[in-house]
Amino acid sequence: MKKYSFKIILLGTLVTLFTLTSCLKDLDQVPQDKDIVLADELFNDPAAYKQVLAKLYAGLAISGQQGPAGMPDITGIDEGFSQYLRQYWLAQEVTTDEAVIGWADGSLPDYHEHDWTPSNEFIAALYNRIIYQITSCNAFLRETTEAKLSGRGVTGQLLSDIQDYRNEARFLRALSYSHALDLYGKFPFVTEADEVGFFFPQQKTRAELFSFVESELLDIEGKLVAPKSNEYARADQAAAWTLLAKLYLNAEVYTGTANFSDCVTYSEKVINAGYDLDNNYENLFLADNYGADGVIFPIAFDGLKTQSYGGTTFLIHAQVGGSMNAADFGITGAWGGNRTTSAFVNTFNSGIDVDASNSAIGAPSNWGIVGAVNGWGGTPDLVLFQTGTANVYQAYYNLPDGDIKFRPDNSWGSDFGDNGSNISVSAGLYKVTVNVSSQEYSIKKDPRAMFHTDGQTLEIESVGTFTDGYAITKFKNVDQAGNAGSDTGGTFTDTDFPLFRIADVYLMYAEATLRGGGGSEATAVSYMNLLKNRGTNNFGTVTSIDLDYILNERARELYWEGHRRTDLIRFGKFTGGDYVWPWKGGTPEGTATPSYLDVFPIPSSDMNANPNLSQNTGY
Amino acid sequence: MKNFKIFLFNVLLLFPVLMFAQQTVKGTVTEATGNTALPGVGIMIKGTIKGSATDFDGNYTIENVKPGDVLVFTYMGFNTKEVSVGNNTTINVALTENAQALDEVVIVGYGTTSVKDATGSITSVKAEDLNKGAIVSPEQMLTGKVAGVVITSDGGAPGSGATIRIRGGASLTASNNPLFIIDGVPVDGNGISGISNPLSTINPNDIESYTILKDASATAIYGSRASNGVIIITTKKGNGGGFQATYSANFSVNQNLQTVDAMSADQFRDYVNANGLATDIALLGNANTDWQDQIFELAYGTDHNLSLKGGSEKLNYRGSIGYTNQSGTLLTSKLERATYSLSIGSKLFDDHLKIDFNTKVSLLNNRFADQGAVGNAISFDPTKPVYSGNSNFGGYYEWLGTDGNPLTVGAPKNPLALLKQRENISNASRAIGNIQFDYKMHFLPELRANLNLGFDKSSGSGENSIFNSATSNTIELSKLGSISQYEQVKENLVSDFYLDYAKDLESINSSIDVMAGYSYQNFKENGSNTDNIQDRTLTETFDYINQLNLQSFFGRVKYSYADKYLLTLTYRRDGSSRFSKANRWANFPSAAFAWKIYEESFMQNSETISNLKLRLSWGITGQQDVGGFYPAIPTYLGSTSTAAYQFGGAFINTFRAEPFNTTLKWEETETYNAGVDFGLFDDFVTGSVDAYFRKTKDLLNFIPFPGGSSLSNAGLANIGKMENKGVELMLNVKPIRTEDLNLNVGLNFTYADTKITQLTTNDGADYEGVPVGGFSGGTGNYIQRHSVGFTPNSFFVYEQVYDTNGKPLEGVYVDRNNDGQISNADKYRFEKPSADFTMGLTTDLNYKKWNLNMAWRANIGNYVYNNVDSNLAFRDQLLNSAFPTVIGNGVENILETSFINGGAARYLSDYYVQEASFVKLDNVSVGYNFGDIFGNESNLSLSGSVQNVLTITDYVGLDPEVGNGIDYNIYPRPRTYMLGVNLNF
């Protein structure tokens, strides 16, 4: 009996051991979901390389792997907020005279009030987004080394395509590092040599980052696909040149040493690549702007395929509110957030040489403008000039608030206005066109001044009130024919965002030239007149330019495109008291703010995670 | 009747000895507490076989007794008493009831113990002591009953879930839910698609008892999942007696007690006329609509249960069926449930092999109401009618744009339409079952082998249809509604095997019990979610499949010396598939010592103390439930087709390199516990006191990663420390015990304090912590922070400044850092949502056939962020200039503050963080037992109860009991009136 039991126990033990050993293997679980692929297996599919590259580009456009939201790339902030362009736009625009945002979202109001701290979650989200983009590019570069590719037997066309992809990944990484050094100065530095894991990256100085970005771009500028010959929305040589030009333009801010001549050099490279300005400024910001001229590098969006609550979906929804009709913008719901300050509106009251512009129209006519502008005849009427068309006269003038009429020969012998009554004009710089035979007239601002003023006040009493401050109508989810974008729900937009465009390069050339970069000032003036003279869109001419002109023209041409903060800093006007705008520093009329705000703080979340970091001075 | 049976039993037992009685001592034996006469008490002359017994009136006579004799009085359920005869001829004796509860068997991990031999902090509650009334889900029975266990229901929806916290929760990011073990099956603690509360799949009527394991000595045998306590649910079994059937039914009516103080139509008109622009005033209508009135109704529920049980010594069985139908007070919400259970127990081979089989199946149909209607009912303009008068959008009045399309942003939705134009239904089922073999070796009866095979399988599917006429979907331009569907199957298999060797070692006055075993558990889930079935061009399906495997080796040694000194050591080694090979396994030991002081000779004659036991324990438990399934493996995640990127003319679906952490490992909680179990004045008062201190390290924490080190900015890492400490007291007092009148009072009291002691790698002094507690009003605002030195979820706010009348001044806050401006640096931590003290009080009064129960509960020191007031009581919310064609209603608080806007800072004012201490009378029930009125040992009882009777609080919002401390859009907990019948036959 005893012996028998022993055998049973022994047998039982052995069976148990065998079962256990096989059971213990069950602890090695791997994903079985078709959407979750083991890193080791992904690149068995040759198509995967392009799909991972697409994610690097998509990192600028969408917030996660499930459009419009779900499975976010970064956390700690609402996913809709976390999108790269939205964050970048807020940091570059809402901190300046170009934009205020009315929402009580977390510490968002800090941006315009210039009182942000290291715990500001928007500053942290942008920081995290930039690092995310960098580490994603690094991961791709790590997975596509020569050793790995040959290990996987990659040859032929795929191998050469992957070389292009790698160069583009390096461009995207350089782009994000350029944002990092511009926004934060110091930044944690990682490359493809750093495997992921829980370690503490070293922080590089602004100058070190500048050198890295410069050397990367110089290395790939010759390797990237030639200008305008890559697939739409992918980077080419012109994108790298534009980024280099931007870097050199700001080199003095970043490194203490100016380098305007290289800015001129690389601007010229882009210009010589043959980009045209679009005849119609408005076309650059419409749902079908993939066809617009002059875009060097866009961030592409699609109402059905590339959905997020950031990007142009944010830009368009947030700019609509008050009495604006959402349907005019190709959307169904207004979010009512963004407006602008009077300081920016007023930049459109200058920007052309009025006399030169008028004489460029033609000879003076006998018709003129009478009204508040000349005390109803107290001084001579403002002369209108003869256009190429008979009986059509035109002139550029800065008009004050008040009424006007048209009349010939400084006399009331005949006159016209609206049905005989006066024409009411609010103050501003106008192009006035009169057809004295049909008795039709137009009084137009610079066509780039796309304001919605109905129901809005020019000055802002309360930032939270949408109707305070002019609204802006620049971005729209309708095509040139006025049809709404592809998302029939009217939420997600097709409009691509022109991150780099030729007008910016003209302006960089002009500025670098004025700052002693060695370009031709005459050429610079001619470029400025290209911006004024766009087919049906033209608005005056300019005969000479100075740096103030450049800063204002950059505002007029590039407002709400994410340039303003960097521009104001380069001109020494972002902080301090040299230039104040409404609600700068949190006061209605604007106040001086301390200069340490020229770089954003290192977010406290990273300061607490990484002992190798030091904070920017002042925070 | 019970007494009569005992009388008979004792008489029969003593019959042989009665034959030898001769000389005479007389007396009466009574019960010590109530002076009730005890019939059938056995009286023996010590050292002889001579004896007697009391008669029906408690009187006895015993003859032929010598003065040196000692009489021994024994009575079932009472403490034996010895009295020396001396010269007495009359000896009256009062017997004290022995604390029967002490011998009660308590289920613990992989075995059982008795209350008196337990070394850990264990509370066992029997079904009859639990909350009564119209109870749908098991945890409701336990609310307020046990010290250290805080249960907060999620709201008033039928079958809605609850947050259950034992000792406050030891984790930050990982789950703080206790482990539930139902009849030996550790069940899946996560949600099931289509069921709002996974516990609601268990019919409370089938529950026999709960055992709550609190300290590490008790829980560590469940190692990796035990940090937040363990709740063991045992269901009712057959008792081996004769056939017995029980039918119970109840009918309930649910009524909302009060509504949110939204402005009336007239108040709103006055407000808009005084504060609005002309365009706002022009939008006012003529109707007087109480929107909350429109969306709530009286709700009815019924519940039927039939159970049959019986069998013999060898084979017993119990089966039950139950049906519950419960509507919610919010229109359209409804729960229907059918439950089936079967349990069979058998004993074979001379009782050497015991086989227990249990299965529980439930089928649920839900219709979920759109709870967004609650908020919209507050904010929808009360001067507007419910119906527009035309047939557009189902005839409901809605805010429309100039183009006649509904406004998608900035306009409240007609709350009634939200409810009526949506049908969100689910069908779900769950089956939990196990079969357990317990074999006592024939050749070595001290050795027991136990094999338990169990499963927990659930499936759910549902469909959420928003009608074509509704405005609440986002594709109204095409005038199509939307239908989304989901389905899910979850399968959890468990097998445990252990050997147990128990032996009394009389030679050394000891007993020992050694157990060792192995457990295997596998969780598998798969399912899919499909959106936009209505518009096939937009249809997209996400499917998923996940698997988690847990395996363990465990052992326990129990040693007892002289039945006074008890030592328990446990050990568990756990492996989880969540972690990489290097970090997969972890060890969880525990040790406990108990001293039954009352058993010491010096205590035996104590008048005051009738029981006293000291318990000390230490142990380590773990946690691995962080939600994800593969956090330590490098993977790529594909994108949906709506997250593609355009290259040229093509849209490319992307792959993302996923963040992972190969260093991820177990979270470890070390618990020290000291407790005393006591009985006083012959167990007039019984109870226990426990004090604990708990330290968690390597918190599985969702924290910011060092920028650049990972593939995301934040994720899971083992960083952070937390400390919990607390005191728990449970008391049971029986102030009245007479034949006709009994009163039993149960009181529990808990003090708990939790602090975070480390949060990040590099905790800086000025780090404000991890933002948590998002709320309504401005995306990205968080009202709470996890921060070092403070309780998790502490509120982080500006300090409001008030005028001399106590009215808050808009936009004026205390400049706490005196830097001349109000910035983020002026925020401070102010209170927290968890209560410092929680208390429960239960009274159970029996008078003849009547009984009256009351259950009171109190929370002291808990605070709530009044998000209703903060988001719906300022002008720019009601009359938002971004949406000039819409006006919205608010709550009366706006009349007190007259706030205009104030931006994010106003939302974050401590003005809205309000004390929400409360005392609640949860339940009053009255029952009458008709007894055997139908004959045949049948029994009929009727009961009536009211739940959610009374709330005493200073909190101004709807209900001070708010789980996460943020009061918004809560589905009001209704008051429930119930009539019930219970018939045994």
Side-chain angles (χ1 to χ4, degrees), chain A residues 463-485:
Chain A
V463 174
T465 304
F466 185 83
T467 45
D468 287 5
Y470 283 179
I472 280 178
T473 61
K474 186 168 180 174
F475 294 92
K476 293 189 178 81
N477 183 37
V478 294
D479 63 15
Q480 292 181 26
N483 303 311

PDB file of all heavy atoms in Angstrom, chain A residues 463-485:
ATOM      1  N   VAL A 463     -10.941  89.748 -22.728  1.00  0.00           N
ATOM      2  CA  VAL A 463     -10.374  88.757 -23.644  1.00  0.00           C
ATOM      3  C   VAL A 463     -11.320  87.573 -23.805  1.00  0.00           C
ATOM      4  O   VAL A 463     -11.402  86.948 -24.858  1.00  0.00           O
ATOM      5  CB  VAL A 463      -8.987  88.289 -23.143  1.00  0.00           C
ATOM      6  CG1 VAL A 463      -8.433  87.161 -23.994  1.00  0.00           C
ATOM      7  CG2 VAL A 463      -8.015  89.460 -23.150  1.00  0.00           C
ATOM      8  N   GLY A 464     -12.105  87.270 -22.745  1.00  0.00           N
ATOM      9  CA  GLY A 464     -13.007  86.128 -22.790  1.00  0.00           C
ATOM     10  C   GLY A 464     -14.235  86.350 -23.647  1.00  0.00           C
ATOM     11  O   GLY A 464     -14.977  85.413 -23.926  1.00  0.00           O
ATOM     12  N   THR A 465     -14.488  87.592 -24.051  1.00  0.00           N
ATOM     13  CA  THR A 465     -15.697  87.891 -24.811  1.00  0.00           C
ATOM     14  C   THR A 465     -15.374  87.895 -26.295  1.00  0.00           C
ATOM     15  O   THR A 465     -14.557  88.701 -26.750  1.00  0.00           O
ATOM     16  CB  THR A 465     -16.249  89.265 -24.374  1.00  0.00           C
ATOM     17  OG1 THR A 465     -16.447  89.232 -22.968  1.00  0.00           O
ATOM     18  CG2 THR A 465     -17.556  89.586 -25.066  1.00  0.00           C
ATOM     19  N   PHE A 466     -15.999  87.006 -27.040  1.00  0.00           N
ATOM     20  CA  PHE A 466     -15.598  86.832 -28.429  1.00  0.00           C
ATOM     21  C   PHE A 466     -15.760  88.096 -29.260  1.00  0.00           C
ATOM     22  O   PHE A 466     -14.977  88.372 -30.170  1.00  0.00           O
ATOM     23  CB  PHE A 466     -16.385  85.691 -29.091  1.00  0.00           C
ATOM     24  CG  PHE A 466     -15.910  85.412 -30.491  1.00  0.00           C
ATOM     25  CD1 PHE A 466     -14.800  84.612 -30.711  1.00  0.00           C
ATOM     26  CD2 PHE A 466     -16.535  85.995 -31.597  1.00  0.00           C
ATOM     27  CE1 PHE A 466     -14.320  84.390 -31.993  1.00  0.00           C
ATOM     28  CE2 PHE A 466     -16.056  85.774 -32.884  1.00  0.00           C
ATOM     29  CZ  PHE A 466     -14.950  84.968 -33.084  1.00  0.00           C
ATOM     30  N   THR A 467     -16.771  88.881 -28.980  1.00  0.00           N
ATOM     31  CA  THR A 467     -17.039  90.051 -29.819  1.00  0.00           C
ATOM     32  C   THR A 467     -16.092  91.217 -29.536  1.00  0.00           C
ATOM     33  O   THR A 467     -16.167  92.244 -30.191  1.00  0.00           O
ATOM     34  CB  THR A 467     -18.499  90.518 -29.642  1.00  0.00           C
ATOM     35  OG1 THR A 467     -18.801  90.516 -28.241  1.00  0.00           O
ATOM     36  CG2 THR A 467     -19.447  89.583 -30.357  1.00  0.00           C
ATOM     37  N   ASP A 468     -15.206  91.021 -28.566  1.00  0.00           N
ATOM     38  CA  ASP A 468     -14.195  92.044 -28.308  1.00  0.00           C
ATOM     39  C   ASP A 468     -12.963  91.757 -29.160  1.00  0.00           C
ATOM     40  O   ASP A 468     -12.315  90.723 -28.989  1.00  0.00           O
ATOM     41  CB  ASP A 468     -13.797  92.059 -26.826  1.00  0.00           C
ATOM     42  CG  ASP A 468     -14.883  92.663 -25.951  1.00  0.00           C
ATOM     43  OD1 ASP A 468     -15.971  92.971 -26.492  1.00  0.00           O
ATOM     44  OD2 ASP A 468     -14.658  92.795 -24.742  1.00  0.00           O
ATOM     45  N   GLY A 469     -12.622  92.675 -30.041  1.00  0.00           N
ATOM     46  CA  GLY A 469     -11.495  92.473 -30.960  1.00  0.00           C
ATOM     47  C   GLY A 469     -12.007  91.976 -32.303  1.00  0.00           C
ATOM     48  O   GLY A 469     -12.991  91.238 -32.372  1.00  0.00           O
ATOM     49  N   TYR A 470     -11.308  92.401 -33.382  1.00  0.00           N
ATOM     50  CA  TYR A 470     -11.721  91.939 -34.702  1.00  0.00           C
ATOM     51  C   TYR A 470     -11.441  90.452 -34.850  1.00  0.00           C
ATOM     52  O   TYR A 470     -10.415  89.934 -34.390  1.00  0.00           O
ATOM     53  CB  TYR A 470     -10.962  92.695 -35.796  1.00  0.00           C
ATOM     54  CG  TYR A 470     -11.459  94.099 -36.050  1.00  0.00           C
ATOM     55  CD1 TYR A 470     -10.843  94.908 -37.003  1.00  0.00           C
ATOM     56  CD2 TYR A 470     -12.552  94.611 -35.354  1.00  0.00           C
ATOM     57  CE1 TYR A 470     -11.285  96.201 -37.251  1.00  0.00           C
ATOM     58  CE2 TYR A 470     -13.005  95.905 -35.587  1.00  0.00           C
ATOM     59  CZ  TYR A 470     -12.373  96.702 -36.528  1.00  0.00           C
ATOM     60  OH  TYR A 470     -12.815  97.966 -36.759  1.00  0.00           O
ATOM     61  N   ALA A 471     -12.377  89.795 -35.520  1.00  0.00           N
ATOM     62  CA  ALA A 471     -12.149  88.387 -35.861  1.00  0.00           C
ATOM     63  C   ALA A 471     -11.433  88.318 -37.199  1.00  0.00           C
ATOM     64  O   ALA A 471     -11.397  89.291 -37.956  1.00  0.00           O
ATOM     65  CB  ALA A 471     -13.470  87.642 -35.921  1.00  0.00           C
ATOM     66  N   ILE A 472     -10.849  87.174 -37.476  1.00  0.00           N
ATOM     67  CA  ILE A 472     -10.072  86.995 -38.702  1.00  0.00           C
ATOM     68  C   ILE A 472     -10.680  85.867 -39.516  1.00  0.00           C
ATOM     69  O   ILE A 472     -11.167  84.879 -38.971  1.00  0.00           O
ATOM     70  CB  ILE A 472      -8.589  86.745 -38.335  1.00  0.00           C
ATOM     71  CG1 ILE A 472      -7.958  88.101 -38.037  1.00  0.00           C
ATOM     72  CG2 ILE A 472      -7.844  86.027 -39.456  1.00  0.00           C
ATOM     73  CD1 ILE A 472      -6.526  88.087 -37.608  1.00  0.00           C
ATOM     74  N   THR A 473     -10.670  86.053 -40.839  1.00  0.00           N
ATOM     75  CA  THR A 473     -11.367  85.104 -41.706  1.00  0.00           C
ATOM     76  C   THR A 473     -10.405  84.402 -42.654  1.00  0.00           C
ATOM     77  O   THR A 473     -10.804  83.906 -43.700  1.00  0.00           O
ATOM     78  CB  THR A 473     -12.431  85.845 -42.543  1.00  0.00           C
ATOM     79  OG1 THR A 473     -11.759  86.828 -43.351  1.00  0.00           O
ATOM     80  CG2 THR A 473     -13.441  86.550 -41.670  1.00  0.00           C
ATOM     81  N   LYS A 474      -9.126  84.353 -42.286  1.00  0.00           N
ATOM     82  CA  LYS A 474      -8.095  83.943 -43.231  1.00  0.00           C
ATOM     83  C   LYS A 474      -8.230  82.486 -43.695  1.00  0.00           C
ATOM     84  O   LYS A 474      -8.140  82.195 -44.874  1.00  0.00           O
ATOM     85  CB  LYS A 474      -6.732  84.151 -42.569  1.00  0.00           C
ATOM     86  CG  LYS A 474      -5.543  83.904 -43.469  1.00  0.00           C
ATOM     87  CD  LYS A 474      -4.269  84.428 -42.770  1.00  0.00           C
ATOM     88  CE  LYS A 474      -3.033  84.224 -43.621  1.00  0.00           C
ATOM     89  NZ  LYS A 474      -1.849  84.849 -43.023  1.00  0.00           N
ATOM     90  N   PHE A 475      -8.440  81.573 -42.752  1.00  0.00           N
ATOM     91  CA  PHE A 475      -8.475  80.156 -43.115  1.00  0.00           C
ATOM     92  C   PHE A 475      -9.915  79.702 -43.320  1.00  0.00           C
ATOM     93  O   PHE A 475     -10.792  80.028 -42.531  1.00  0.00           O
ATOM     94  CB  PHE A 475      -7.827  79.317 -42.007  1.00  0.00           C
ATOM     95  CG  PHE A 475      -6.358  79.562 -41.838  1.00  0.00           C
ATOM     96  CD1 PHE A 475      -5.897  80.513 -40.937  1.00  0.00           C
ATOM     97  CD2 PHE A 475      -5.439  78.861 -42.605  1.00  0.00           C
ATOM     98  CE1 PHE A 475      -4.543  80.741 -40.785  1.00  0.00           C
ATOM     99  CE2 PHE A 475      -4.071  79.100 -42.457  1.00  0.00           C
ATOM    100  CZ  PHE A 475      -3.624  80.045 -41.546  1.00  0.00           C
ATOM    101  N   LYS A 476     -10.112  78.953 -44.399  1.00  0.00           N
ATOM    102  CA  LYS A 476     -11.477  78.491 -44.680  1.00  0.00           C
ATOM    103  C   LYS A 476     -11.439  77.058 -45.181  1.00  0.00           C
ATOM    104  O   LYS A 476     -10.521  76.653 -45.884  1.00  0.00           O
ATOM    105  CB  LYS A 476     -12.129  79.351 -45.769  1.00  0.00           C
ATOM    106  CG  LYS A 476     -12.403  80.791 -45.389  1.00  0.00           C
ATOM    107  CD  LYS A 476     -13.255  81.452 -46.476  1.00  0.00           C
ATOM    108  CE  LYS A 476     -13.610  82.886 -46.127  1.00  0.00           C
ATOM    109  NZ  LYS A 476     -12.507  83.827 -46.447  1.00  0.00           N
ATOM    110  N   ASN A 477     -12.487  76.321 -44.844  1.00  0.00           N
ATOM    111  CA  ASN A 477     -12.625  74.956 -45.346  1.00  0.00           C
ATOM    112  C   ASN A 477     -13.577  74.935 -46.544  1.00  0.00           C
ATOM    113  O   ASN A 477     -14.442  74.085 -46.649  1.00  0.00           O
ATOM    114  CB  ASN A 477     -13.129  74.042 -44.216  1.00  0.00           C
ATOM    115  CG  ASN A 477     -13.218  72.602 -44.646  1.00  0.00           C
ATOM    116  OD1 ASN A 477     -12.387  72.111 -45.406  1.00  0.00           O
ATOM    117  ND2 ASN A 477     -14.257  71.918 -44.173  1.00  0.00           N
ATOM    118  N   VAL A 478     -13.436  75.908 -47.413  1.00  0.00           N
ATOM    119  CA  VAL A 478     -14.178  75.881 -48.681  1.00  0.00           C
ATOM    120  C   VAL A 478     -13.156  76.003 -49.805  1.00  0.00           C
ATOM    121  O   VAL A 478     -12.060  76.541 -49.609  1.00  0.00           O
ATOM    122  CB  VAL A 478     -15.207  77.036 -48.796  1.00  0.00           C
ATOM    123  CG1 VAL A 478     -16.314  76.872 -47.775  1.00  0.00           C
ATOM    124  CG2 VAL A 478     -14.528  78.391 -48.644  1.00  0.00           C
ATOM    125  N   ASP A 479     -13.486  75.458 -50.959  1.00  0.00           N
ATOM    126  CA  ASP A 479     -12.559  75.560 -52.079  1.00  0.00           C
ATOM    127  C   ASP A 479     -12.785  76.879 -52.817  1.00  0.00           C
ATOM    128  O   ASP A 479     -13.613  77.703 -52.413  1.00  0.00           O
ATOM    129  CB  ASP A 479     -12.658  74.343 -52.996  1.00  0.00           C
ATOM    130  CG  ASP A 479     -14.025  74.217 -53.650  1.00  0.00           C
ATOM    131  OD1 ASP A 479     -14.809  75.212 -53.630  1.00  0.00           O
ATOM    132  OD2 ASP A 479     -14.325  73.140 -54.195  1.00  0.00           O
ATOM    133  N   GLN A 480     -12.028  77.073 -53.899  1.00  0.00           N
ATOM    134  CA  GLN A 480     -12.122  78.354 -54.603  1.00  0.00           C
ATOM    135  C   GLN A 480     -13.525  78.607 -55.136  1.00  0.00           C
ATOM    136  O   GLN A 480     -13.943  79.743 -55.293  1.00  0.00           O
ATOM    137  CB  GLN A 480     -11.097  78.391 -55.745  1.00  0.00           C
ATOM    138  CG  GLN A 480      -9.672  78.418 -55.221  1.00  0.00           C
ATOM    139  CD  GLN A 480      -8.641  78.473 -56.325  1.00  0.00           C
ATOM    140  OE1 GLN A 480      -8.917  78.958 -57.416  1.00  0.00           O
ATOM    141  NE2 GLN A 480      -7.451  77.980 -56.046  1.00  0.00           N
ATOM    142  N   ALA A 481     -14.254  77.521 -55.402  1.00  0.00           N
ATOM    143  CA  ALA A 481     -15.624  77.680 -55.894  1.00  0.00           C
ATOM    144  C   ALA A 481     -16.619  77.872 -54.759  1.00  0.00           C
ATOM    145  O   ALA A 481     -17.806  78.057 -55.001  1.00  0.00           O
ATOM    146  CB  ALA A 481     -16.001  76.450 -56.720  1.00  0.00           C
ATOM    147  N   GLY A 482     -16.146  77.804 -53.524  1.00  0.00           N
ATOM    148  CA  GLY A 482     -17.029  78.034 -52.384  1.00  0.00           C
ATOM    149  C   GLY A 482     -17.659  76.778 -51.817  1.00  0.00           C
ATOM    150  O   GLY A 482     -18.497  76.847 -50.911  1.00  0.00           O
ATOM    151  N   ASN A 483     -17.252  75.596 -52.320  1.00  0.00           N
ATOM    152  CA  ASN A 483     -17.820  74.353 -51.804  1.00  0.00           C
ATOM    153  C   ASN A 483     -17.104  73.932 -50.511  1.00  0.00           C
ATOM    154  O   ASN A 483     -15.880  74.024 -50.421  1.00  0.00           O
ATOM    155  CB  ASN A 483     -17.667  73.223 -52.813  1.00  0.00           C
ATOM    156  CG  ASN A 483     -18.313  73.579 -54.135  1.00  0.00           C
ATOM    157  OD1 ASN A 483     -19.464  74.026 -54.170  1.00  0.00           O
ATOM    158  ND2 ASN A 483     -17.561  73.431 -55.224  1.00  0.00           N
ATOM    159  N   ALA A 484     -17.907  73.426 -49.581  1.00  0.00           N
ATOM    160  CA  ALA A 484     -17.330  72.986 -48.303  1.00  0.00           C
ATOM    161  C   ALA A 484     -16.464  71.752 -48.512  1.00  0.00           C
ATOM    162  O   ALA A 484     -16.611  71.028 -49.496  1.00  0.00           O
ATOM    163  CB  ALA A 484     -18.442  72.682 -47.303  1.00  0.00           C
ATOM    164  N   GLY A 485     -15.567  71.511 -47.552  1.00  0.00           N
ATOM    165  CA  GLY A 485     -14.627  70.397 -47.634  1.00  0.00           C
ATOM    166  C   GLY A 485     -15.293  69.034 -47.557  1.00  0.00           C
ATOM    167  O   GLY A 485     -16.517  68.912 -47.524  1.00  0.00           O
TER     168      GLY A 485
END
